[in-house]
Amino acid sequence: MYGELTGQGIVEMSGRPVVSGGQAMKLGNETGIVFKESPEVEAFRRWQKHQFLEIERTIAKKWREGLKIATPENIYKIFQRFFSVFGVPKSLEELKIQVDRIIDGPNRKDTLAFGLSIIGVLLEAQGEIIRRWESSGSKPIREFAPYFAYVLSVDLFFYLGITANLFSNFRHPQTHIIDIAYLYYLPFCKIFVSNDKIHIGISSFFLRPDQSFVNGSDFKADLAKLDQHYSELPEDVKSRGVMSFAFIPPDDTSFLTTRMWDKYMASTWRNMRSRKFDGTDKINPETEKAIAEKITRLAKEGKPIERIAAGNSDKADSMLIKHMVS
């Protein structure tokens, strides 16, 4: 988000994950992107071994201190001023309308500055971002920084909802801030699965028409149903391995997974059932060797370049993602 606000790049909210850290490379006439192990994955591996950097301890401490401040009293003091302009919302539907009015309203500069302070941008950085916004012609916030506007809408919905007592069960907002933060990832997926009551109650206000929310309980039940379905197959079929009979879901649309595949996968996915995963459809050894050599050369001999077609990874000839498997 900070890169978006400072003009370093555009955050595409098209239902696909946005992965940082890729290095554009050029090898001969072809271009590729190499993703090494991300800092998050590296940190997660260390945390599993109870190894923490001092800066991580400091950030965690500040995060806990910030949560202590998020009391209903403090939230009310900060956000009740909006009600003198827009009135107190009586429902979650009215609340979402109010949030959109604030973000799309005429007081763009004040809204931008307030939003930057909410997400914790340092004052000196706020000034730089506001000056960049002004030099862009003081565009609507959603046009200037669409992902920032989205995150701000989630935060305003949460804090104004608490201030208006629309979340009567949120007696301790500190415990729900992390739950709400999961909605920040919503623009980068097609299906959002959760068993959290908060997500079940409010995610519909932030879903795009091309997205689906799946209740975690329904998802677990469908997985159990799939397990039962495959368990009833003949032993000679099961002995071939899962990828030979469960590489796609059953045709039966009573399965939630099947319905999601119908909605989001290519319409030809059912034709894949004619494929054989018994080893007879493997890539021939020569082609497999050539692909492996090309991947190795891209990583070792490729020359770093600044970007590929204005940063669009779809224009790359190849993409290499390195994973460390435990």
Side-chain angles (χ1 to χ4, degrees):
M1 180 175 20
Y2 187 74
E4 175 189 66
L5 288 168
T6 56
Q8 299 177 43
I10 299 173
V11 179
E12 294 186 7
M13 299 189 291
S14 57
R16 297 190 299 177
V18 175
V19 183
S20 63
Q23 173 61 61
M25 308 287 281
K26 190 171 184 65
L27 181 64
N29 295 324
E30 294 189 359
T31 56
I33 303 177
V34 176
F35 288 89
K36 297 182 179 180
E37 184 182 43
S38 70
E40 293 83 2
V41 172
E42 184 274 330
F44 184 68
R45 286 198 296 108
R46 282 191 290 99
W47 296 345
Q48 288 180 313
K49 301 175 183 178
H50 301 282
Q51 298 173 355
F52 304 94
L53 300 179
E54 190 59 35
I55 189 172
E56 293 168 344
R57 296 182 186 277
T58 301
I59 292 173
K61 182 179 179 180
K62 289 184 177 180
W63 172 258
R64 290 192 295 269
E65 291 173 350
L67 292 180
K68 293 179 182 178
I69 299 175
T71 63
E73 295 76 19
N74 288 337
I75 291 173
Y76 184 82
K77 289 178 183 177
I78 297 172
F79 291 91
Q80 56 86 27
R81 64 187 179 89
F82 287 101
F83 297 155
S84 62
V85 179
F86 299 97
V88 180
K90 301 296 190 298
S91 66
L92 295 181
E93 288 75 16
E94 289 184 13
L95 173 62
K96 184 59 168 64
I97 292 173
Q98 184 174 119
V99 167
D100 290 339
R101 285 176 177 172
I102 293 172
I103 294 176
D104 300 325
N107 300 321
R108 296 174 182 173
K109 186 173 182 179
D110 291 341
T111 302
L112 176 60
F114 184 72
L116 293 174
S117 65
I118 287 180
I119 66 173
V121 177
L122 298 176
L123 284 175
E124 52 267 32
Q126 289 184 31
E128 295 177 6
I129 293 170
I130 292 174
R131 285 190 291 272
R132 177 177 172 270
W133 169 74
E134 290 174 334
S135 65
S136 72
S138 302
K139 295 178 180 179
I141 295 175
R142 293 188 196 274
E143 183 180 341
F144 173 71
Y147 182 57
F148 163 77
Y150 169 79
V151 171
L152 178 58
S153 71
V154 172
D155 286 348
L156 286 175
F157 190 91
F158 176 63
Y159 290 120
L160 289 174
I162 290 175
T163 307
N165 293 316
L166 292 178
F167 303 134
S168 57
N169 57 332
F170 284 20
R171 297 180 180 179
H172 304 287
Q174 304 96 321
T175 62
H176 301 294
I177 290 176
I178 296 176
D179 296 327
I180 290 295
Y182 278 100
L183 295 179
Y184 297 165
Y185 300 104
L186 195 56
F188 311 113
C189 68
K190 292 292 187 181
I191 304 172
F192 187 72
V193 182
S194 177
N195 211 26
D196 188 281
K197 292 181 180 179
I198 298 174
H199 298 157
I200 294 172
I202 71 174
S203 61
S204 61
F205 293 100
F206 300 96
L207 287 169
R208 297 189 310 271
D210 64 336
Q211 290 180 301
S212 296
F213 176 85
V214 173
N215 188 298
S217 298
D218 295 337
F219 183 56
K220 288 181 179 180
D222 195 60
L223 291 178
K225 185 178 176 182
L226 284 169
D227 183 60
Q228 180 63 32
H229 169 81
Y230 291 123
S231 296
E232 295 173 355
L233 293 175
E235 289 300 325
D236 64 316
V237 174
K238 292 189 288 185
S239 65
R240 300 172 192 168
V242 173
M243 282 305 297
S244 69
F245 60 82
F247 56 92
I248 57 176
D251 291 334
D252 186 354
T253 54
S254 68
F255 290 97
L256 171 63
T257 303
T258 301
R259 296 197 299 274
M260 291 297 99
W261 273 59
D262 279 336
K263 186 172 182 179
Y264 293 107
M265 300 297 283
S267 59
T268 56
W269 73 266
R270 292 174 183 270
N271 299 334
M272 292 176 61
R273 199 166 297 284
S274 61
R275 289 185 61 187
K276 295 181 179 180
F277 285 79
D278 55 4
T280 59
D281 65 340
K282 282 186 176 180
I283 301 174
N284 69 69
E286 292 184 0
T287 302
E288 190 172 11
K289 181 180 178 181
I291 293 174
E293 290 177 349
K294 186 175 181 180
I295 290 173
T296 302
R297 288 189 60 207
L298 175 66
K300 292 186 176 181
E301 302 175 21
K303 295 182 179 180
I305 56 177
E306 186 175 347
R307 60 180 60 189
I308 295 176
N312 188 346
S313 61
D314 290 339
K315 302 296 182 181
D317 295 302
S318 60
M319 186 177 297
L320 173 61
I321 301 177
K322 296 184 178 181
H323 290 288
M324 298 295 291
V325 181
S326 299

